[in-house]
Amino acid sequence: MADDFPEVVEAIVGPVLAESGFVLDVVDDHVDEGGRFGSVVYYCAADCRVQIYWSSRAGEINCMVAPLDAQNDHGLYDRAGKWHYLREFAEKPSLALEELVKRLKAEKANFETLEKWLTWLRGQIEEHLPAARVGIAQRE
């Protein structure tokens, strides 16, 4: 993945998070994943925190949300269990398995480049962040 992951995150996802009251908090560009390295960009708002991460080990870019007291831990390795995927708080789609598989195959093009993946993730944030904020507040 690109060495400029934090800068690309800030350029593509940062403005959407800023519109929702988040500010850039910390960048950890050297997350040790057992010999491989990942990167995490943390944001903070008045009610919760968000991280956008790239995991070289899992081969993914994703977003997680947590309460304000969550530590700056890469969500995949968060032993406190405070970091949650945005979609944990979204309504589950009531689609047949075949339709779900079709949808996933159609989305494959969204993950071909860093920019495409982050643009797709930005849309997921716009769609699911409001419910995730409510869900995190209810867990506190």
Side-chain angles (χ1 to χ4, degrees):
M1 195 53 59
D3 290 333
D4 59 346
F5 178 78
E7 292 83 10
V8 180
V9 167
E10 184 61 10
I12 295 174
V13 180
V16 167
L17 290 172
E19 288 173 11
S20 295
F22 287 87
V23 295
L24 180 63
D25 186 27
V26 175
V27 172
D28 185 351
D29 208 17
H30 200 74
V31 177
D32 187 351
E33 296 185 288
R36 297 179 181 177
F37 292 92
S39 184
V40 185
V41 183
Y42 298 94
Y43 293 87
C44 192
D47 60 340
C48 65
R49 306 187 56 189
V50 164
Q51 66 171 267
I52 310 297
Y53 71 82
W54 163 60
S55 170
S56 61
R57 179 174 233 171
E60 74 173 0
I61 296 170
N62 216 330
C63 177
M64 298 182 99
V65 62
L68 290 173
D69 66 343
Q71 298 296 312
N72 288 341
D73 292 327
H74 188 303
L76 295 177
Y77 310 107
D78 171 33
R79 292 180 189 215
K82 294 197 175 234
W83 288 99
H84 301 274
Y85 290 102
L86 288 180
R87 296 194 76 156
E88 284 183 40
F89 304 99
E91 256 185 64
K92 308 295 182 239
S94 58
L95 298 173
L97 181 59
E98 296 81 17
E99 187 59 36
L100 208 51
V101 170
K102 266 193 211 173
R103 185 180 285 186
L104 289 173
K105 284 182 180 179
E107 287 190 353
K108 186 178 179 183
N110 292 322
F111 311 114
E112 292 173 346
T113 67
L114 173 62
E115 290 78 9
K116 284 183 177 182
W117 202 328
L118 287 171
T119 300
W120 173 85
L121 189 59
R122 180 183 64 206
Q124 295 296 300
I125 291 168
E126 289 172 322
E127 183 176 349
H128 300 294
L129 184 59
R133 288 176 110 158
V134 169
I136 287 294
Q138 290 174 345
R139 288 181 180 231
E140 287 302 293

